[in-house]
Amino acid sequence: MTGRDGGAVLTPIAGSPVVILVRPQLADNIGSVARCMANGGLFHLRLVSPRDGWPQDRAWRTASGADAILEAVTVFDSVGAAVADLHRVYATCPRPRHIIKPVLTARAGAADIREAASRDLSCGILFGPERTGLDSDDMAAADTWIRYPLNPEFDSLNLAQAVMVMAYEWWTAAEPTPGRRMQMHKTEVATKGELDGLLDHLIDQLDACGFLRNAPKRPGMVRNLRHLFERGEITEQEVRTLRGVVTGLALGRRRLGRLEDLEPTLEE
Amino acid sequence: MTGRDGGAVLTPIAGSPVVILVRPQLADNIGSVARCMANGGLFHLRLVSPRDGWPQDRAWRTASGADAILEAVTVFDSVGAAVADLHRVYATCPRPRHIIKPVLTARAGAADIREAASRDLSCGILFGPERTGLDSDDMAAADTWIRYPLNPEFDSLNLAQAVMVMAYEWWTAAEPTPGRRMQMHKTEVATKGELDGLLDHLIDQLDACGFLRNAPKRPGMVRNLRHLFERGEITEQEVRTLRGVVTGLALGRRRLGRLEDLEPTLEE
């Protein structure tokens, strides 16, 4: 979907947290952040003292159409002002600090924000400047810290990546899609009857060509073939294709001669 | 940790999947991908027909020290060649296709890769070119597709962001950090006895100043104060600070006069 200026039509989702970039340095990063926010369904973006001022054309170039988020940006001159209307403030925290404070993973943080929003509490998440991260005063403005589980040997995250992880977790926290599903589109899974028809056809032809001539091995070989075809969901179309394959091979066989070489591939 | 060229010391983690960028266009993105991989503990990066050839200096500039990953990159001229030694291939799939195939979320995909690795199966994940994504032939090289749950109104992911989400999920799938914990560093949680000492001190002073003079209300007010101080884990240092605060206020009170105005703030 695109808006009148080519940007995507994006609207705030109720309960979505505010992303607050504290002293961001590069406008490119602000644009990338907007794109990540759109990916995860976030909308509200606040900037505290952006180094190069605001607005900056470069942000629109990296936002890839998340223009609506950039158009709605508000700018503040302190963290205190940026969080004054919020009930709960989270700070993304790359390093441990000498203070006691609840620290959540990104996933638990996302669940926490969802829970707070269900009680009509508005939430914001602070992200620090590119090189240095949030300073001690910024961290003190937050009631909860969020620390991503990541490789401790290499835990310096690009600003947009940091926002991406939170936006992704926020979206995922309410995503009903099951972890595993079958892609179904213009196709139908074959019934067991259709599959049996295929197997009967195949076994008839294998009997005819002598492939199953070893009587003691035959039941196991037939069972293995069945297991193979039951392993995935086969579609109606695929059953039709496979029946054609069997027929084609059976007709071609007359030219092929001996089949013993194929046999071991079907044994356990 | 830094290596001899200023890059981080990164080593492959057993069972980590191979990231395969199919026809990547921008070297900057290849470098950003390496950084994201390092964040999530991934190491093996393969390129299929990178548009501008390989190596490219620009990649090292955006890798932010994940040089070891770039140094170890291998280049292939087809997807088939790039996956030939792998047991299982996942394709990140932005759009539904007209085919039947298991589709996993990023989280379920990460769990699937961990499970496969536990059986010594080597896994790879295909990511498509920046503008177009994987084509139908690329998708057919995969046995499983991965589709992130993201905002359907804005689901076009930057290449590095797409890798970030998978790297993050792969790392998180084996991360033992509890979702919520208290940051503890050079500080100790106060015992209940220390907390009681503080409360006794406070209540003594509140009795002395007349704040708790309303006898029927006194038990409830004392209880509310206790609830307030029990809400978070208070440290030994904070108990000492608060006792100083109470003493300071009690001494200053003689100059303050009437206290009735404060009283409602402690009622329920």
Side-chain angles (χ1 to χ4, degrees):
Chain A
M1 260 208 286
T2 51
R4 61 202 162 115
D5 301 323
V9 175
L10 295 165
T11 47
I13 295 175
S16 61
V18 179
V19 169
I20 303 160
L21 303 184
V22 180
R23 301 182 298 281
Q25 299 181 298
L26 301 172
D28 307 57
N29 283 342
I30 300 172
S32 296
V33 162
R35 181 179 183 177
C36 295
M37 291 174 61
N39 288 144
L42 306 184
F43 188 85
H44 308 287
L45 179 58
R46 297 179 183 180
L47 307 178
V48 176
S49 308
R51 187 187 68 185
D52 300 331
W54 186 259
Q56 291 282 330
D57 283 347
R58 293 180 67 86
W60 270 256
R61 271 179 254 160
T62 52
S64 290
D67 299 4
I69 290 173
L70 295 178
E71 308 290 351
V73 157
T74 48
V75 181
F76 298 83
D77 59 10
S78 71
V79 170
V83 304
D85 62 331
L86 302 176
H87 298 102
R88 194 176 290 176
V89 177
Y90 301 80
T92 50
C93 151
R95 275 164 245 96
R97 310 261 174 161
H98 297 192
I99 200 84
I100 191 162
K101 191 88 99 174
V103 182
L104 309 185
T105 59
R107 191 160 304 164
D112 211 58
I113 290 167
R114 292 270 182 189
E115 188 276 333
S118 75
R119 296 188 286 126
D120 288 329
L121 302 181
S122 53
C123 300
I125 314 168
L126 301 174
F127 294 87
E130 284 88 339
R131 289 190 180 281
T132 55
L134 296 168
D135 69 23
S136 300
D137 285 336
D138 303 328
M139 300 296 287
D143 35 62
T144 307
W145 293 346
I146 293 178
R147 189 143 187 251
Y148 303 169
L150 280 173
N151 183 3
E153 300 294 322
F154 197 92
D155 62 359
S156 155
L157 268 184
N158 167 276
L159 178 55
Q161 309 292 358
V163 172
M164 184 71 222
V165 168
M166 274 313 299
Y168 164 75
E169 284 286 8
W170 185 80
W171 183 272
T172 305
E175 172 63 40
T177 304
R180 174 184 287 269
R181 63 198 192 281
M182 291 304 285
Q183 177 77 52
M184 289 295 299
H185 205 78
K186 287 193 181 169
T187 186
E188 294 293 332
V189 176
T191 62
K192 294 301 177 191
E194 287 164 335
L195 202 56
D196 275 349
L198 166 65
L199 280 163
D200 289 348
H201 181 191
L202 174 62
I203 289 159
D204 278 353
Q205 292 298 327
L206 293 179
D207 277 328
C209 76
F211 185 82
L212 296 172
R213 70 187 176 287
N214 185 327
K217 284 189 174 175
R218 187 180 182 283
M221 291 171 74
V222 167
R223 202 162 46 240
N224 285 351
L225 283 168
R226 176 172 295 280
H227 278 305
L228 178 63
F229 284 102
E230 293 283 5
R231 195 166 300 153
E233 288 181 2
I234 294 186
T235 66
E236 291 174 351
Q237 178 57 52
E238 286 166 338
V239 167
R240 284 193 293 274
T241 301
L242 286 169
R243 293 190 73 143
V245 166
V246 171
T247 301
L249 289 174
L251 290 174
R253 161 176 56 86
R254 283 154 204 165
R255 290 183 297 251
L256 194 69
R258 293 168 8 105
L259 278 169
E260 284 79 356
D261 295 345
L262 290 174
E263 209 165 314
T265 62
L266 282 176
E267 294 186 37
E268 273 173 319
Chain B
M1 262 208 285
T2 51
R4 62 201 161 117
D5 302 322
V9 175
L10 295 166
T11 46
I13 296 175
S16 61
V18 179
V19 169
I20 302 159
L21 303 185
V22 179
R23 301 182 298 280
Q25 299 180 298
L26 300 171
D28 307 59
N29 283 341
I30 299 171
S32 296
V33 161
R35 181 179 183 178
C36 295
M37 289 173 63
N39 289 143
L42 305 183
F43 187 83
H44 308 287
L45 178 59
R46 297 179 182 180
L47 307 178
V48 175
S49 309
R51 187 189 66 185
D52 300 332
W54 186 259
Q56 291 281 330
D57 284 347
R58 293 181 67 85
W60 271 256
R61 272 179 252 159
T62 52
S64 290
D67 299 4
I69 291 173
L70 296 178
E71 307 291 351
V73 157
T74 47
V75 181
F76 297 83
D77 59 9
S78 71
V79 171
V83 304
D85 63 332
L86 302 177
H87 298 102
R88 195 176 289 177
V89 178
Y90 301 80
T92 50
C93 151
R95 276 164 246 98
R97 310 261 173 160
H98 297 191
I99 201 85
I100 191 162
K101 192 88 101 173
V103 182
L104 310 186
T105 59
R107 190 160 304 163
D112 210 58
I113 290 167
R114 293 270 183 189
E115 188 275 335
S118 76
R119 294 189 286 127
D120 289 329
L121 301 182
S122 53
C123 300
I125 314 169
L126 302 173
F127 293 88
E130 285 89 339
R131 290 188 181 281
T132 55
L134 296 169
D135 69 22
S136 301
D137 285 336
D138 303 328
M139 300 296 287
D143 36 60
T144 307
W145 293 348
I146 292 178
R147 189 144 188 249
Y148 304 169
L150 280 173
N151 183 3
E153 300 293 321
F154 197 92
D155 61 0
S156 155
L157 269 183
N158 168 277
L159 177 57
Q161 308 294 358
V163 172
M164 183 71 221
V165 168
M166 273 314 299
Y168 164 76
E169 284 287 7
W170 183 79
W171 183 271
T172 305
E175 172 63 41
T177 305
R180 174 185 287 269
R181 64 197 191 279
M182 291 304 284
Q183 176 77 51
M184 290 296 298
H185 205 79
K186 287 193 180 168
T187 187
E188 294 293 334
V189 176
T191 62
K192 294 302 175 192
E194 287 165 335
L195 202 56
D196 275 350
L198 166 64
L199 279 163
D200 289 347
H201 180 189
L202 174 62
I203 289 159
D204 279 352
Q205 291 298 325
L206 293 179
D207 277 327
C209 77
F211 186 81
L212 296 173
R213 69 188 176 285
N214 185 326
K217 284 189 174 176
R218 186 179 182 284
M221 291 171 73
V222 167
R223 202 163 45 240
N224 285 350
L225 283 168
R226 178 171 293 279
H227 277 306
L228 178 63
F229 284 103
E230 294 283 4
R231 194 166 301 153
E233 289 180 2
I234 294 186
T235 66
E236 292 173 351
Q237 178 56 53
E238 286 166 337
V239 166
R240 286 193 293 275
T241 302
L242 285 169
R243 293 190 73 142
V245 165
V246 171
T247 302
L249 289 174
L251 291 172
R253 161 175 56 86
R254 285 153 203 163
R255 291 182 297 251
L256 193 70
R258 293 167 9 104
L259 277 170
E260 284 81 354
D261 294 345
L262 290 176
E263 209 164 314
T265 63
L266 282 178
E267 295 186 36
E268 274 173 316

